[in-house]
């Protein structure tokens, strides 16, 4: 296992396209210099001991397809700059201590297929911009403090969505007929809401 911090000098590897530090014992913060690795298509830093917030410079990695930061001790809110990552297919932020609302800018990630945000402290409604994410297949937002009317939580058409977990949140209201518009949905979990 690797341990210690991610050194800012990582930015010297300016041609790097694939970076995987997952399943180690790295601690400290994600250095802002990581935003200088503008050729990156894959960034995996899951399952470490990282803390602090996501540096807004991550939004400079506009070629990213995969961004996995899950299972750390990261906190703060999702930076709006993540909305620049319009080629991201996989975004895993689950099992951290993120808070605040999910930004409208997440609706810019129009190629997103897998979105896992569970086991955090996100609050407020699911942003209306989610209707742009028509390629979603798997979404987990369970174990947060998300709220709002459940009939307005997923407005739009999601032809490929097969798994949706909104359990253990603060949604309320009636399940509307609009929920019948997801032809591929195999798992739908609304358990433990208001």
């Amino acid at each position: 296992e690797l341990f210690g911090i991610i050194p800012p000098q990582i930015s010297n590897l300016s041609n790097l396209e694939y970076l995987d530090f997952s399943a180690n014992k790295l601690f400290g913060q994600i250095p802002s210099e990581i935003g200088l690795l503008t050729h990156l298509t894959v960034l995996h830093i899951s399952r470490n001991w990282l803390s602090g917030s996501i540096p807004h410079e991550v939004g400079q990695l506009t070629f990213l397809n995969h961004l996995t930061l899950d299972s750390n001790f990261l906190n703060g809110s999702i930076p709006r700059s993540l909305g620049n990552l319009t080629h991201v297919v996989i975004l895993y932020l689950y099992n951290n201590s993120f808070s605040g609302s999910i930004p409208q800018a997440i609706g810019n990630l129009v190629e997103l297929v897998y979105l896992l945000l569970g086991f955090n402290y996100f609050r407020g409604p699911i942003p209306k911009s989610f209707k742009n994410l028509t390629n979603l297949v798997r979404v987990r937002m369970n174990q947060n403090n998300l709220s709002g009317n459940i009939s307005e939580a997923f407005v739009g058409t999601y032809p490929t969505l097969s798994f949706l977990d909104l359990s253990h949140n603060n949604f309320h209201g009636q399940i509307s007929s609009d929920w019948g518009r997801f032809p591929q949905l195999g798992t739908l979990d609304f358990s433990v809401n208001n």
Side-chain angles (χ1 to χ4, degrees):
E1 292 180 326
L2 302 180
F3 61 91
I5 66 167
I6 301 173
Q9 292 81 4
I10 194 82
S11 63
N12 293 335
L13 305 176
S14 56
N15 290 313
L16 209 58
E17 296 179 5
Y18 186 103
L19 178 57
D20 190 344
F21 283 148
S22 57
N24 283 291
K25 292 182 177 177
L26 300 175
F27 56 83
Q29 301 193 357
I30 300 171
S32 59
E33 288 84 358
I34 209 157
L36 298 173
L37 300 176
T38 53
H39 294 285
L40 275 182
T41 60
V42 173
L43 178 58
H44 294 312
I45 323 181
S46 58
R47 290 175 289 149
N48 280 283
W49 296 348
L50 296 171
S51 57
S53 57
I54 301 174
H56 68 86
E57 289 86 357
V58 169
Q60 298 169 15
L61 306 177
T62 54
F63 289 110
L64 271 186
N65 299 129
H66 295 188
L67 176 59
T68 64
L69 305 177
D70 58 275
S71 304
N72 281 287
F73 299 96
L74 298 169
N75 55 43
S77 57
I78 298 177
R80 289 192 197 95
S81 63
L82 249 62
N84 298 334
L85 308 181
T86 55
H87 299 296
V88 162
V89 176
I90 291 175
L91 179 59
Y92 290 175
L93 302 180
Y94 67 90
N95 197 24
N96 278 289
S97 295
F98 291 120
S99 58
S101 58
I102 299 171
Q104 290 284 344
I106 203 149
N108 296 340
L109 311 183
V110 293
E111 296 183 19
L112 200 57
V113 175
Y114 298 101
L115 176 63
L116 275 58
L117 302 179
F119 295 93
N120 281 291
Y121 300 99
F122 292 119
R123 57 176 169 75
I126 294 174
K128 294 283 194 285
S129 62
F130 256 63
K131 68 179 183 295
N132 301 330
L133 307 181
T134 56
N135 291 309
L136 286 172
V137 170
R138 188 177 185 91
V139 177
R140 296 197 76 149
M141 298 185 178
N142 55 308
Q143 299 279 353
N144 278 288
N145 296 313
L146 297 170
S147 58
N149 192 316
I150 196 68
S151 65
E152 299 171 359
F154 254 70
V155 177
T157 303
Y158 304 90
T160 57
L161 188 65
S162 65
F163 185 103
L164 177 60
D165 187 353
L166 300 179
S167 66
H168 295 269
N169 279 290
N170 296 311
F171 293 110
H172 66 274
Q174 294 184 338
I175 299 171
S176 78
S177 59
D178 289 342
W179 284 96
R181 295 185 301 172
F182 308 108
Q184 300 300 319
L185 200 59
T187 298
L188 178 60
D189 192 345
F190 285 162
S191 61
V192 195
N193 274 283
N194 283 338

